[in-house]
Amino acid sequence: MLLIATGIGVLAVVVSLLLGPKKPSRAKLMPYESGNDPEGGDARQRFPVHFYLVAMLFIVFDIETAFFYPIAVAYQKLGAFAFWETVSFVALVLVGYFYVLKKGVLEWA
């Protein structure tokens, strides 16, 4: 298994070397973040924090869906406990979403 993982890592590096840019220029080497203009302006722009908040919420939502599967599989055995545990979990995630909405993080303009 370790050999397969190492092979995949080496393959990824080799492919990136073969398919990557051959003649780097200033524009190609400039750091780029979603939502910021990569051309012109100050190269050291301050990166907005709301991108990180949305990313954290996405990760929490992703983990939440991963934990729903075992609850669904064992739902008959767990009964009402599983239902209320799921409801409380969704409620906690919704608190985060309402916080983000209140702060205006999802307004991209």
Side-chain angles (χ1 to χ4, degrees), residues 7 30 37-39 53 62 65 78-79 98 108:
M30 197 157 110
D37 187 15
E39 297 292 329
L53 289 175
D62 206 27
T65 56
L78 296 174
F98 287 132
W108 300 102

Side-chain angles (χ1 to χ4, degrees), residues 25-31 38-39:
S25 66
R26 185 166 191 238
K28 288 181 183 177
L29 295 176
M30 197 157 110
E39 297 292 329

Side-chain angles (χ1 to χ4, degrees), residues 5-43:
T6 305
I8 290 173
V10 169
L11 180 68
V13 170
V14 169
V15 168
S16 70
L17 288 174
L18 293 174
L19 299 178
K22 302 293 186 236
K23 297 179 183 177
S25 66
R26 185 166 191 238
K28 288 181 183 177
L29 295 176
M30 197 157 110
Y32 176 76
E33 294 288 346
S34 178
N36 288 339
D37 187 15
E39 297 292 329
D42 186 15

Side-chain angles (χ1 to χ4, degrees), residues 50 54 57 97 100-101 103-109:
H50 66 268
V54 172
L57 278 176
Y97 281 121
V100 166
L101 284 173
K103 290 291 186 181
V105 170
L106 298 177
E107 297 170 7
W108 300 102

Side-chain angles (χ1 to χ4, degrees), residues 50-70:
H50 66 268
F51 287 109
Y52 297 112
L53 289 175
V54 172
M56 284 188 292
L57 278 176
F58 175 75
I59 291 170
V60 168
F61 176 75
D62 206 27
I63 292 170
E64 174 186 2
T65 56
F67 281 116
F68 278 156
Y69 182 75

